[in-house]
Amino acid sequence: MVEHSESAALAFRDVVKSFYVKDTFIPILKGVTAAVAPGDIVALIGPSGSGKSTLLSLCNLLITADAGKVFVDGINVLDWNITELRRKVGLVFQTPTIFPGTVRTNIELARVLQGDTFNQPERYLQNVGLSADLLDHEASELSGGQKQRVALARVLATEPKVLLLDEVTSALDPSAARDVEEWILHIHEKNKTTMLWVTHNLEQALRVSHWVWLMIGGQLIEVTETRQFFTSPQTELGRLFLQGELNGQRI
Amino acid sequence: MSLLTLSFTLAFVGIAILLSMWLKLGVERDIVIATIRSSIQLLAVGYVLKIVFGLNNPLFMILMIALMIGVATQNAAKRGKGIPRVSFKILFAIAITEIIAQSFLIGLNIIPAKAQYLIPISGMIIGNAMIVSGLLLNRLQAEAHSHRQEIITVLALGGTPKQSIVPFVKQAIRASLIPTIDSAKTTGLVQLPGMMTGQIIAGADPILAVRYQLVVLFTFMASAMIASITLGFLTYPSLFNRYHQLVLPNSHN
């Protein structure tokens, strides 16, 4: 765990975020401070509505914090060139958004947006375990798992150093989920990509992560090394959460 | 036609009110308001036009057109509540449309630069641009709402706000032009356009009246497009903040 935000790939300092929904003030993040070391995988777990996705969206500036600071590579996200920041910090959503056209069109989009051309889109497809034969298929005809892998390949095509994964396997059937998870771990092995991985699947968190961040009610309750968290959580809430007593979920 | 004979047609209004009361449609109040408003507005405009035509002073002509643009802007702005400085954008779009259309019509001597041509045709161009602007604003917000995830996906890949939303701006422009294009397609078959009908009733040669109507229809095609494109591209940046985040007005829905 990195304490100093300067050397961290990703760091949060006293981050506060609220939303107004129909004039009702809803606090989401109530002062979050933590950091992810370069190359680490952090599993961000916690009950639904605890602010996990909000924390992710702060990292690539899809939303802005009300107070506190978010750092990427030691630089405040507000001081980054936005396009550079978003290419460096890739975000994969729970449900893949597929644009009209072929798989090729979808993957090339990542580069086309920057006015680049693309030499080997099949390389990125192979990185997520899809055959190059799929390049000229209609993307909308793919299975859910294939679509999610295309979305992942599209994000990888921007060559991100940090990956934000927002429940990327939760909409998939167990075997497709396992496939996507495997390929993400391959990518980590190859590129040492730093990852902040939101998941509801505690087994997955145990398999993939170095650290666990437990978020409840907009606060980081526990930041613990993964094996230690699952054998002896450091907080009473952590213990209750593992027992599935906080949102009815079980391992 | 005297005011007395005109007043006989109030019987139609009476029939409408009675039918509304009988079927409990609840629109009697609106019918009364509409009758009073249209009478006052049109009768007043008749006198104003008479004065402006009589003075034949370009200043009054411009003043009158400016007033039309102002009212049209205010009306169309209701469709864009919550969009920052939307009135200003509409004002610009409608004004530029009117200027381009009239420069062409007068410049090529298609219509004489006289008040009795300029003002009614301006009114039609501005009115059409107003409707197109309202449709555009409505549709653009609806498109942005329903394609929110696509827009955010492009932004998250490092795309600019423009790259993320242009397909949906185009979609909104296309949708806003449909009524103008469709009504041009069926004109003469389904409805006889108001200006032509008016000219014919007033005793003009139908052949000539038709030609003027075609001038207006063709002008509408270009002016609707100019208004819609101008407003679409002026408006979309307001749907984003300086951090390239999509910020949609809450008033929609």
Side-chain angles (χ1 to χ4, degrees), chain A residues 61 63-64 83 86 113-114, chain B residues 149 155-156 158 163 243-245:
Chain A
L61 208 55
I63 58 175
T64 319
T83 298
R86 289 182 181 160
L113 290 173
Q114 268 73 43
Chain B
Q149 201 51 46
L155 292 175
Q163 287 170 324
Y243 298 118
H244 294 189
Q245 297 164 355

Side-chain angles (χ1 to χ4, degrees), chain B residues 113-233:
Chain B
K114 284 184 185 161
Q116 70 257 43
Y117 292 92
L118 212 53
I119 289 176
I121 291 181
S122 292
M124 287 188 276
I125 292 171
I126 292 166
N128 194 50
M130 171 186 84
I131 290 166
V132 167
S133 299
L135 289 172
L136 183 276
L137 290 173
N138 207 23
R139 187 61 181 260
L140 182 57
Q141 293 177 84
E143 289 280 326
H145 271 280
S146 59
H147 295 282
R148 199 167 171 271
Q149 201 51 46
E150 279 107 310
I151 294 170
I152 290 175
T153 299
V154 170
L155 292 175
L157 286 168
T160 60
K162 185 176 179 179
Q163 287 170 324
S164 72
I165 207 171
V166 155
F168 310 115
V169 175
K170 286 186 183 169
Q171 193 56 44
I173 291 172
R174 207 173 293 139
S176 73
L177 296 176
I178 288 172
T180 304
I181 295 170
D182 276 2
S183 80
K185 276 187 200 158
T186 57
T187 190
L189 297 175
V190 178
Q191 81 275 40
L192 292 177
M195 181 181 88
M196 190 176 103
T197 316
Q199 278 185 299
I200 293 171
I201 289 172
D205 178 3
I207 305 294
L208 199 64
V210 163
R211 287 185 191 167
Y212 273 108
Q213 192 59 51
L214 281 176
V215 167
V216 169
L217 282 181
F218 295 161
T219 309
F220 272 14
M221 303 249 200
S223 62
M225 190 150 307
I226 294 168
S228 187
I229 292 172
T230 308
L231 188 57
F233 281 85

Side-chain angles (χ1 to χ4, degrees), chain B residues 61-71 91 126:
Chain B
M61 246 157 58
I62 290 170
L63 217 60
M64 187 142 183
I65 291 171
L67 186 71
M68 287 174 175
I69 295 177
V71 174
L91 183 71
I126 292 166

Side-chain angles (χ1 to χ4, degrees), chain A residues 105-167:
Chain A
T105 318
N106 269 276
I107 292 182
E108 285 179 346
L109 175 70
R111 292 289 184 87
V112 170
L113 290 173
Q114 268 73 43
D116 290 352
T117 48
F118 222 139
N119 289 327
Q120 293 169 297
E122 59 275 13
R123 197 157 53 93
Y124 292 98
L125 215 49
Q126 284 153 3
N127 276 345
V128 294
L130 290 176
S131 151
D133 299 342
L134 282 177
L135 266 182
D136 295 310
H137 275 240
E138 267 315 301
S140 58
E141 289 167 9
L142 300 178
S143 72
Q146 287 173 320
K147 280 180 184 164
Q148 187 58 292
R149 284 193 271 175
V150 168
L152 182 60
R154 188 171 60 197
V155 169
L156 293 175
T158 65
E159 309 275 348
K161 297 287 179 288
V162 177
L163 262 187
L164 309 168
L165 304 166
D166 194 355
E167 293 185 48

